[in-house]
Amino acid sequence: MDALTLLLNRRSLPKLMEPAPQGEVLDNIFRAGLRAPDHAGLTPWRFIVSKGEGLNKLADILVEAAKADGADEATLEKASKAPFRAPMVITVVAKVTENDKVPVIEQHLSAGCATQAMQMAAVAQGFSGFWRTGKWAYHPVVRESLGVQGDDMIVGFLYLGTSGCREAKVHERDLSQFVEYL
Ligand SMILES: Cc1cc2nc3c(=O)[nH]c(=O)nc-3n(C[C@H](O)[C@H](O)[C@H](O)COP(=O)(O)O)c2cc1C
């Protein structure tokens, strides 16, 4: 798939099944993340992979967070199932370094770019992905369990796997609604 075809046609597919990317394919996904734009070379990225037993561990963390909120049974059930919507979840963390020239927002943006680059690299190699956050990404229990401190930020849970549904159609958008010239 050429780059422009990928950029113009990628869709997020929510139904993701085995197999998850692995080996060289997975390494390429991480390498794509590490090519995100990065002001001053601060490398503000952590990629925490959950698969197999790791998905159970991530589910336990979400349930613990839900319990801390006094969640009802239905919410606890939802939290316990959330990571299993794909065979692999990569939690992308913006790891912030204090720097006079690079504000925190730029480091968060860089981690966001890394997330999209990884999703694109997955699609380019025949896999699919879905970028989620939800309230768990910002929850103090989740942050602490994953060692996310201070200005660091969980910018996304990137669900990865093999598409279990038909390729979704791309919505055509009217460029004139978004583009203006100064
Ligand atoms: C930072 C960020 C967080 C997101 N979190 C969620 C989420 O928690 N749940 C969800 O359904 N979609 C979420 N999305 C949107 C999906 O990833 C996806 O982009 C959307 O469903 C549109 O599909 P498309 O990418 O195929 O256009 C998020 C997107 C971004 C950029």
Side-chain angles (χ1 to χ4, degrees):
M1 187 185 297
D2 71 84
L4 195 57
T5 302
L6 174 65
L7 285 166
L8 297 183
N9 294 289
R10 175 212 61 79
R11 288 298 318 268
S12 302
L13 299 180
K15 202 168 172 199
L16 298 169
M17 304 155 71
E18 296 278 4
Q22 58 176 336
E24 186 67 16
V25 169
L26 184 57
D27 284 350
N28 285 338
I29 290 171
F30 294 131
R31 286 189 192 107
L34 298 178
R35 282 302 309 124
D38 173 19
H39 192 175
L42 298 179
T43 60
W45 317 299
R46 283 177 66 206
F47 309 134
I48 307 168
V49 181
S50 304
K51 60 175 183 169
E53 183 50 30
L55 291 173
N56 289 319
K57 289 182 185 168
L58 185 57
D60 289 346
I61 291 170
L62 302 189
V63 168
E64 201 191 320
K67 279 185 181 161
D69 290 345
D72 58 21
E73 273 307 316
T75 309
L76 291 177
E77 170 91 359
K78 209 172 155 200
S80 72
K81 288 190 171 152
F84 297 97
R85 288 175 287 193
M88 173 179 285
V89 180
I90 301 176
T91 305
V92 182
V93 179
K95 176 104 193 79
V96 171
T97 302
E98 209 180 307
N99 185 287
D100 287 346
K101 292 200 182 90
V102 188
V104 170
I105 177 76
E106 293 191 7
Q107 300 182 51
H108 290 182
L109 286 168
S110 177
C113 291
T115 310
Q116 198 199 7
M118 291 198 287
Q119 187 183 32
M120 293 286 188
V123 175
Q125 297 177 103
F127 290 84
S128 290
F130 202 107
W131 181 349
R132 297 178 199 274
T133 46
K135 65 178 177 181
W136 309 124
Y138 314 108
H139 198 290
V141 168
V142 178
R143 285 173 56 88
E144 190 180 335
S145 303
L146 296 175
V148 181
Q149 297 167 344
D151 288 330
D152 296 357
M153 178 72 78
I154 296 172
V155 298
F157 299 107
L158 183 60
Y159 286 67
L160 292 178
T162 300
S163 169
C165 51
R166 229 161 24 93
E167 203 63 44
K169 219 167 120 21
V170 171
H171 308 296
E172 280 301 328
R173 292 201 164 113
D174 177 3
L175 290 183
S176 68
Q177 300 288 312
F178 301 93
V179 182
E180 48 194 282
Y181 292 85
L182 199 59

